[in-house]
C-alpha cells in the first residue's frame, strides 16, 4: 500500500467571498470612479489632458486632506460639520497675518495651532460634556463663519504674489503640484495610523461600541477629543492651501465644503454609524467627487444644474455601494 501523502485542493470560494464582503464598498467606489473617468474622457476630449489632470489633483487636495481626518471622526460615530467654516476662518486669518507682515512660516504654524485648538474645544464639548457632535459642530459652523465675516467685513484679503507662501498652493515638486504631494502624505499617514496603530484600533473600537471600549480600558474621551483635533488641524491646512492657491483669503471660502467632505467619506465605505472606516475608500470618494465636478464643467453643463447632477450621482453611488456591501455580507 502506497504511503505517498495525498494533498487535497481546498476550495477558494469561501475565501474569495470573504474578501469581497470585507472590501465590497472600496471595490465598488473604485469601479464607480473608473466609470466616471471613462464617461467624461469619452464625452470631453480635454478631460484626460495632462494640464487638466494636474489641475484636478491640485483642486482636490484640500478635500482629500480634510476627508482623511473626517474618516477618523465618522469612524468613532461622530461628525464634524464645522470644517468648511474652519477652512474659511483660517483662509481669512492667514491672509490678514501675511498682510500685517508676519513671516509666512510663523503664520502657517499659528494657523495650524489655531485649527487644532478649534478642534480641541469642540472635542471637549462632545467628549467631556456629552453634547451630540452634530449640535456642537453645527454651532461651530455658524460661529466660525461669523468670526471670519466679522474680521474681513465680507471682503477678500489679497496676498502678495512674491511671498513664498503662495508656493504652498501653486508650487511644483517632482513634476506634481505641491498640494497633491501634501494630500498624498496625509493620505499615507492616515492609512498607516488607522490600520496599523493602537490609536487607529481605539478609534474603530469606540465607533463599534463606546461602552465596551471604555470597559476594556480605552480612554474614550481622550481619543474622541483627539479625532476632532485632527479635523481642525486638517481644515486649517486646507485653508492655508486654498489661500496660497488663490492668492487671497476670504470668509466666503469653502461654502458647502463640509458636505463634500462627508460625502467623500461615506462614498468610500466609512459607516455613518461608526466602527468601520477606510482611508483608501475615502480618497477614492474624494477623487470621484472632484472628477464629477470637473467633468460636468468640461461638458459645458450649466453651473445651476451641476449641483443637481452631482447630488444625484453621489446618491446613486452611495445606494449602489450599500447594496453591494449588504450583498457581500450576506454571502
Amino acid at each position: 500500500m502506497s504511503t505517498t501523502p495525498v494533498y487535497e485542493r481546498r476550495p477558494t470560494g469561501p475565501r474569495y467571498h470573504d474578501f469581497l464582503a470585507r472590501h465590497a464598498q472600496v471595490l465598488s467606489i473604485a469601479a464607480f470612479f473608473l466609470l466616471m473617468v471613462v464617461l467624461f474622457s469619452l464625452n470631453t476630449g480635454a478631460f484626460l489632458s495632462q494640464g487638466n489632470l494636474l489641475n484636478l489633483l491640485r483642486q482636490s487636495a484640500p478635500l482629500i486632506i480634510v476627508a482623511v481626518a473626517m474618516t477618523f471622526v465618522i469612524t468613532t460615530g461622530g461628525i464634524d460639520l464645522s470644517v468648511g467654516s474652519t477652512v474659511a476662518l483660517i483662509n481669512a486669518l492667514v491672509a490678514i497675518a501675511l498682510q500685517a507682515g508676519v513671516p509666512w512660516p510663523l503664520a502657517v504654524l499659528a494657523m495650524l495651532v489655531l485649527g487644532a485648538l478649534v478642534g480641541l474645544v469642540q472635542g471637549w464639548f462632545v467628549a467631556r460634556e456629552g453634547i451630540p457632535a452634530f449640535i456642537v459642530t453645527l454651532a461651530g459652523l455658524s460661529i466660525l463663519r461669523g468670526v471670519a465675516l466679522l474680521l474681513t467685513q465680507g471682503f477678500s484679503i489679497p496676498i502678495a504674489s512674491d511671498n513664498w507662501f503662495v508656493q504652498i498652493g501653486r508650487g511644483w515638486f517632482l513634476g506634481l503640484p505641491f498640494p497633491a504631494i501634501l494630500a498624498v502624505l496625509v493620505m499615507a499617514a492616515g492609512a498607516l495610523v488607522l490600520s496599523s496603530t493602537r490609536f487607529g484600533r481605539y478609534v474603530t473600537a469606540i465607533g463599534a461600541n463606546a461602552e465596551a471600549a471604555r470597559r476594556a480600558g480605552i480612554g474614550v474621551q481622550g481619543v474622541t477629543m483627539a479625532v476632532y483635533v485632527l479635523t481642525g488641524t486638517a481644515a486649517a491646512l486646507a485653508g492655508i492651501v486654498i489661500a496660497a492657491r488663490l492668492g487671497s483669503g476670504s470668509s466666503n471660502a469653502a461654502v458647502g465644503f463640509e458636505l463634500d467632505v462627508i460625502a467623500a467619506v461615506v462614498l468610500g465605505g466609512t459607516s455613518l454609524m461608526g466602527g468601520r472606516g477606510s482611508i483608501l475608500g475615502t480618497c477614492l470618494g474624494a477623487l470621484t467627487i472632484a472628477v464629477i465636478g470637473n467633468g460636468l464643467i468640461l461638458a459645458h453643463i450649466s453651473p445651476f444644474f451641476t449641483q443637481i447632477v452631482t447630488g444625484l450621482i453621489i446618491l446613486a453611488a452611495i445606494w449602489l455601494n450599500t447594496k453591494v456591501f449588504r450583498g457581500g455580507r450576506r454571502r
Side-chain angles (χ1 to χ4, degrees), residues 72 75 193-205:
F72 286 84
T75 301
V193 170
L194 186 60
S195 63
S196 303
T197 68
R198 181 178 299 178
F199 178 78
R201 291 191 292 272
Y202 287 173
V203 166
T204 303

Side-chain angles (χ1 to χ4, degrees), residues 124-150:
W124 183 83
F125 279 107
V126 174
R128 299 283 184 178
E129 298 301 308
I131 303 175
F134 181 89
I135 301 299
V136 172
T137 58
L138 183 63
L141 178 152
S142 179
I143 293 169
L144 297 171
R145 181 76 66 175
V147 171
L149 285 166
L150 182 63

Side-chain angles (χ1 to χ4, degrees), residues 21 57 63 100 111 142 182 211 215 271 295 302 305:
L57 289 176
L63 177 60
M111 294 305 106
S142 179
L182 284 177
E211 180 59 24
R215 291 177 181 271
S271 171
S302 168
F305 192 63

Side-chain angles (χ1 to χ4, degrees), residues 80-119:
D80 190 347
L81 299 176
S82 69
V83 290
S85 296
T86 303
V87 168
L89 177 62
I90 299 301
N91 189 273
L93 278 176
V94 74
I96 292 172
L98 292 171
Q99 198 175 73
V102 177
W104 74 264
L106 182 59
V108 168
L109 180 60
M111 294 305 106
L112 292 175
V113 171
L114 178 59
L117 182 60
V118 168

Side-chain angles (χ1 to χ4, degrees), residues 40 295-306 309:
F40 288 123
L296 290 176
I297 292 173
L298 291 178
H300 303 294
I301 294 178
S302 168
F304 302 108
F305 192 63
T306 299
V309 176

Side-chain angles (χ1 to χ4, degrees), residues 20-258:
L20 286 181
R22 286 185 289 110
H23 301 285
Q25 289 196 297
V26 174
L27 292 173
S28 63
I29 188 58
F32 188 76
F33 169 72
L34 292 175
L35 176 63
M36 291 296 100
V37 170
V38 171
L39 178 64
F40 288 123
S41 63
L42 291 176
N43 289 334
T44 57
F47 181 79
L48 288 181
S49 66
Q50 182 179 0
N52 183 63
L53 292 178
L54 291 174
N55 185 54
L56 182 64
L57 289 176
R58 187 193 302 275
Q59 291 183 346
S60 62
L63 177 60
I64 293 173
I65 289 169
V66 181
V68 167
M70 185 69 78
T71 303
F72 286 84
V73 171
I74 294 181
T75 301
T76 64
I79 198 165
D80 190 347
L81 299 176
S82 69
V83 290
S85 296
T86 303
V87 168
L89 177 62
I90 299 301
N91 189 273
L93 278 176
V94 74
I96 292 172
L98 292 171
Q99 198 175 73
V102 177
W104 74 264
L106 182 59
V108 168
L109 180 60
M111 294 305 106
L112 292 175
V113 171
L114 178 59
L117 182 60
V118 168
L120 180 63
V121 171
Q122 294 190 124
W124 183 83
F125 279 107
V126 174
R128 299 283 184 178
E129 298 301 308
I131 303 175
F134 181 89
I135 301 299
V136 172
T137 58
L138 183 63
L141 178 152
S142 179
I143 293 169
L144 297 171
R145 181 76 66 175
V147 171
L149 285 166
L150 182 63
L151 290 173
T152 63
Q153 295 297 307
F155 294 101
S156 294
I157 310 297
I159 298 172
S161 58
D162 59 348
N163 193 320
W164 197 93
F165 172 82
V166 299
Q167 296 302 315
I168 297 175
R170 302 176 183 175
W172 296 80
F173 183 72
L174 298 178
L176 291 174
F178 189 69
I181 301 294
L182 284 177
V184 170
L185 292 176
V186 170
M187 179 185 69
L192 178 65
V193 170
L194 186 60
S195 63
S196 303
T197 68
R198 181 178 299 178
F199 178 78
R201 291 191 292 272
Y202 287 173
V203 166
T204 303
I206 291 170
N209 191 321
E211 180 59 24
R214 186 187 66 81
R215 291 177 181 271
I218 296 174
V220 173
Q221 291 184 345
V223 173
T224 301
M225 292 173 65
V227 296
Y228 288 94
V229 171
L230 284 178
T231 54
T233 306
L237 179 57
I240 290 167
V241 170
I242 293 172
R245 177 168 62 87
L246 299 180
S248 65
S250 172
S251 57
N252 294 317
V255 174
F257 182 73
E258 58 278 347

